[in-house]
Amino acid sequence: MLKYAYNMLVYGTEPIEDGIARVAKYGYDFTEVVGEPEQIPAARIRTALDANDILASSIVSIYTPDRDLVSSNSSIRANTVDYIKGNVDHAVALGAKIVTLTPTACMKIRPEVDIKQEWAWAVEGAREAATYAHDHGVRIAVEPWNRYESYLINRLEQSIAFVDEVDHPGIGCMADTFHMSIEDADIAGAIRAAGKRLAHVHFADSNRAAPGRGHLNFTPFVEALRDIEYSGVCSFELLPAAGDVWGVLSGAGAPEFLDQYTEESITYMKNIERELGLL
Amino acid sequence: MSLQIGLSSFVLASPFSDSDLSVASDVSSMGYEVLEICIEDPALLSAAAINKAAAENNLKISICGAFGPDRDVSSDDPEIRVKGIAYLKECIDLASAVGSPFVSGPMYSTTGKTRLLPPEARKAQLDLAVNNLREVGEYAATKGVGLAIEPLNRFETDLINTLEQGVELCKKIALENVGLLIDTFHMNIEEKSLTESITKSQKYIFHVQVSENDRGTPGSGQVRWEEFFSALKTINYSGWVVVESFLPTVAEIARAVSLWRPVAPSMDYLAREGRKFIAEAVTASGL
């Protein structure tokens, strides 16, 4: 039986209290919190979580150009490690167990220096973050992004290689079905290859809308999660059809991503679980 | 025109030039019947050399555009719009001279322009695309050539992402020689249903490009090929099907390529195995 979260990023600029109340209304147990600890104090989020009997599953880190683990600028690299540690602290304050990591700034698609050097910086920074996370009972989850959002880790097998190289209990892999629909040849096979390394999951359909709104077949994916005995949370990270998703979310947003997709997503996935006899 | 399988020059050399036409014999011996030449730099190509290579190797030629930032019919900058129109007319002249039934590609904008425009600005950009492509389409008609407009996924353009939006654009241009190029790579990201999107836009589909979900060898990934070709069978598609991927060295549309890791053992492998797979899928569908 899978555990579901809805990512608060999807709700854009609306007050977090409204978002947390909404996931509670539609039967979620968890919420995924945006990694901007300075924008909304942990205490305020905690109050809303407690009021709605919702748990925080994870912190989704936001990799802006000044949060780039492989920047050629060493102070940006150091700032990025600090940022991730700050998200670990935020996770601890909220009771979340996962902080997401992608080693490049979002939408950066060109390496600045030799890619082997960048990979080495990424491993070094991730190991420091993983050590800190592990000491605080949190795990870092390395998320591959599709080719338009990053050049370094696009595919789950690259995340597996990265996690194996970091070689620390405080780090694992992450799978996002939207990115995998573009980059991976065999989604279920990739999940099985990750096995126990899989620390976190993002769900979205092939067009990044609610599962069922695109053409991705989620059944083999859920079967693979069952087979590897995945015990983490699956968070719906649904985003509008735009290159600039931050722009959309911080602007007018998209109304279907609120009540409609929140309700549809969990209903759709639970139906698959029911068909597989998991519920 | 009966269904024939082609290979994109983006798999072979970039920017493609007359001196690269020596690969035509390889393309032909792999079993391809069409060579799709992407015009990154028109100065590097001549109709005479293309026609010679095509005749010697029994290939038909398809002409496809590459829309870098300096040639954009819906740019805010009028000079760049003029250059965009001039470039398309050059492609049309070449298409006419080498017997390509159309010029194809995402000709409504520059590839990689994904701005977040407010609705009025977006409509203004679309109007520029409509008006300028109508002018280009009228010119193409005088040369006996069509336009096959390609929707691209959200990361490559903000203007036309789905077949439905493509049909809307064609309806606004309102010329019989203007239709669509559909591409499985983009459809895999943007379409809810391959079948529905194809059947709903059937009379506009002039041209088809095939690519795996990761731009790798067709047949090696997640694209639902059986569904795709059976939808083409439903609409009795009888045009060309061109295998497309990209060399990592493509200059004009670098953002579109965004290939950071090998997606096939080699480009030669992709071309050979891709053709074999597509030919079998076409046959199996009854096309």
Side-chain angles (χ1 to χ4, degrees):
Chain A
M1 183 177 162
L2 296 176
K3 295 179 264 189
Y4 297 102
Y6 205 85
N7 189 336
M8 292 296 105
L9 180 67
V10 185
Y11 295 155
T13 53
E14 94 173 353
I16 193 148
E17 289 80 3
D18 296 356
I20 290 171
R22 183 180 295 111
V23 299
K25 179 180 166 192
Y26 291 113
Y28 290 77
D29 294 317
F30 293 90
T31 188
E32 183 161 65
V33 176
V34 179
E36 296 290 2
E38 285 167 18
Q39 287 178 12
I40 309 176
R44 182 179 148 193
I45 301 172
R46 188 99 215 193
T47 303
L49 291 171
D50 292 345
N52 291 281
D53 200 17
I54 290 287
L55 300 168
S57 58
S58 40
I59 308 294
V60 60
S61 305
I62 306 296
Y63 293 96
T64 53
D66 54 345
R67 296 168 181 165
D68 180 347
L69 214 45
V70 298
S71 170
S72 56
N73 179 334
S74 61
S75 67
I76 290 183
R77 297 200 300 274
N79 286 341
T80 309
V81 173
D82 288 344
Y83 165 70
I84 300 167
K85 288 180 179 174
N87 280 349
V88 170
D89 294 340
H90 202 43
V92 170
L94 298 174
K97 298 295 175 204
I98 295 289
V99 170
T100 70
L101 183 153
T102 301
T104 49
C106 190
M107 309 313 278
K108 178 182 166 191
I109 56 163
R110 292 269 182 282
E112 292 170 53
V113 300
D114 176 59
I115 201 151
K116 283 184 184 152
Q117 173 64 71
E118 292 200 357
W119 181 274
W121 281 333
V123 168
E124 185 189 333
R127 190 174 289 135
E128 188 179 341
T131 305
Y132 186 82
H134 191 63
D135 290 347
H136 291 79
V138 172
R139 198 172 178 202
I140 302 291
V142 179
E143 183 179 22
W145 286 342
N146 76 70
R147 62 193 63 190
Y148 301 105
E149 302 189 19
S150 181
Y151 54 90
L152 199 62
I153 297 179
N154 297 132
R155 204 163 165 147
L156 191 54
E157 68 191 31
Q158 293 173 303
S159 169
I160 292 171
F162 184 80
V163 164
D164 286 350
E165 197 169 325
V166 175
D167 190 23
H168 191 284
I171 196 163
C173 298
M174 179 167 165
D176 179 313
T177 53
F178 171 72
H179 298 302
M180 295 181 84
S181 174
I182 299 175
E183 299 296 343
D184 283 79
D186 172 8
I187 291 184
I191 294 297
R192 290 195 175 88
K196 287 298 171 198
R197 299 181 193 86
L198 192 69
H200 196 49
V201 170
H202 273 171
F203 279 151
D205 212 324
S206 50
N207 52 3
R208 227 170 192 173
R213 291 262 162 192
H215 59 70
L216 193 65
N217 184 0
F218 281 88
T219 302
F221 189 86
V222 174
E223 287 173 319
L225 292 178
R226 174 198 64 199
D227 294 348
I228 66 165
E229 298 174 334
Y230 177 68
S231 60
V233 174
C234 300
S235 176
F236 296 100
E237 186 186 69
L238 317 175
L239 293 168
D244 180 7
V245 294
W246 310 126
V248 174
L249 293 169
S250 58
E256 68 272 25
F257 288 76
L258 304 178
D259 282 317
Q260 189 185 342
Y261 284 178
T262 306
E263 182 177 20
E264 272 181 31
S265 297
I266 193 166
T267 306
Y268 185 87
M269 294 310 301
K270 282 193 168 175
N271 277 338
I272 290 177
E273 285 199 83
R274 221 166 272 129
E275 281 164 16
L276 293 173
L278 299 174
L279 276 187
Chain B
M1 206 159 71
S2 64
L3 194 144
Q4 292 181 310
I5 301 173
L7 182 66
S8 165
S9 68
F10 277 133
V11 177
L12 303 165
S14 167
F16 198 81
S17 70
D18 280 352
S19 60
D20 296 310
L21 283 164
S22 53
V23 297
S25 62
D26 295 340
V27 174
S28 176
S29 66
M30 282 188 234
Y32 285 103
E33 296 168 294
V34 179
L35 171 63
E36 179 158 282
I37 299 181
C38 298
I39 316 299
E40 290 187 76
D41 181 354
L44 300 177
L45 287 154
S46 66
I50 293 172
N51 282 331
K52 183 166 176 284
E56 281 170 4
N57 297 288
N58 200 23
L59 287 170
K60 290 177 176 154
I61 301 295
S62 166
I63 295 294
C64 171
F67 301 89
D70 294 336
R71 38 176 97 130
D72 177 356
V73 299
S74 64
S75 170
D76 298 334
D77 180 342
E79 270 182 48
I80 290 177
R81 295 202 294 271
V82 168
K83 282 186 193 163
I85 294 168
Y87 166 74
L88 274 167
K89 288 182 176 173
E90 247 182 307
C91 290
I92 289 162
D93 291 342
L94 188 61
S96 168
V98 300
S100 172
F102 40 68
V103 170
S104 66
M107 56 193 74
Y108 40 81
S109 182
T110 184
T111 305
K113 190 159 83 180
T114 57
R115 304 169 305 174
L116 190 66
L117 294 177
E120 323 78 70
R122 187 182 163 76
K123 188 181 175 301
Q125 192 197 347
L126 198 57
D127 287 346
L128 284 172
V130 169
N131 292 331
N132 290 331
L133 289 181
R134 189 181 295 128
E135 179 191 328
V136 169
E138 282 166 353
Y139 178 80
T142 68
K143 299 274 177 174
V145 171
L147 300 179
I149 301 174
E150 181 183 21
L152 298 178
N153 76 71
R154 64 193 67 184
F155 299 106
E156 301 193 14
T157 185
D158 51 21
L159 211 57
I160 307 291
N161 298 134
T162 62
L163 270 52
E164 189 181 3
Q165 291 174 312
V167 168
E168 284 301 305
L169 177 64
C170 290
K171 283 182 177 165
K172 284 181 177 144
I173 296 170
L175 293 174
E176 275 185 12
N177 65 326
V178 175
L180 297 178
L181 155 58
I182 68 171
D183 179 323
T184 55
F185 174 76
H186 301 295
M187 292 175 76
N188 179 63
I189 298 175
E190 298 300 342
E191 302 297 343
K192 296 183 202 316
S193 156
L194 294 176
T195 305
E196 258 182 56
S197 60
I198 288 172
T199 51
K200 281 185 176 167
S201 44
Q202 56 173 307
K203 65 176 192 164
Y204 292 93
I205 298 176
F206 285 11
H207 189 38
V208 171
Q209 286 177 343
V210 288
S211 190
E212 196 44 271
N213 68 294
D214 63 348
R215 288 254 189 237
T217 313
S220 68
Q222 302 183 46
V223 170
R224 294 182 184 178
W225 295 106
E226 211 183 303
E227 181 186 347
F228 181 73
F229 284 109
S230 92
L232 289 184
K233 168 73 182 161
T234 306
I235 66 164
N236 289 315
Y237 179 72
S238 60
W240 293 340
V241 173
V242 167
V243 173
E244 185 186 58
S245 187
F246 296 95
L247 289 167
T249 50
V250 173
E252 200 57 56
I253 52 166
R255 171 85 203 181
V257 178
S258 292
L259 281 179
W260 314 115
R261 57 187 172 79
V263 289
S266 70
M267 283 309 196
D268 185 63
Y269 177 92
L270 185 146
R272 279 175 202 283
E273 295 303 312
R275 199 209 75 88
K276 218 180 283 174
F277 176 82
I278 294 298
E280 282 164 15
V282 166
T283 306
S285 72
L287 266 164

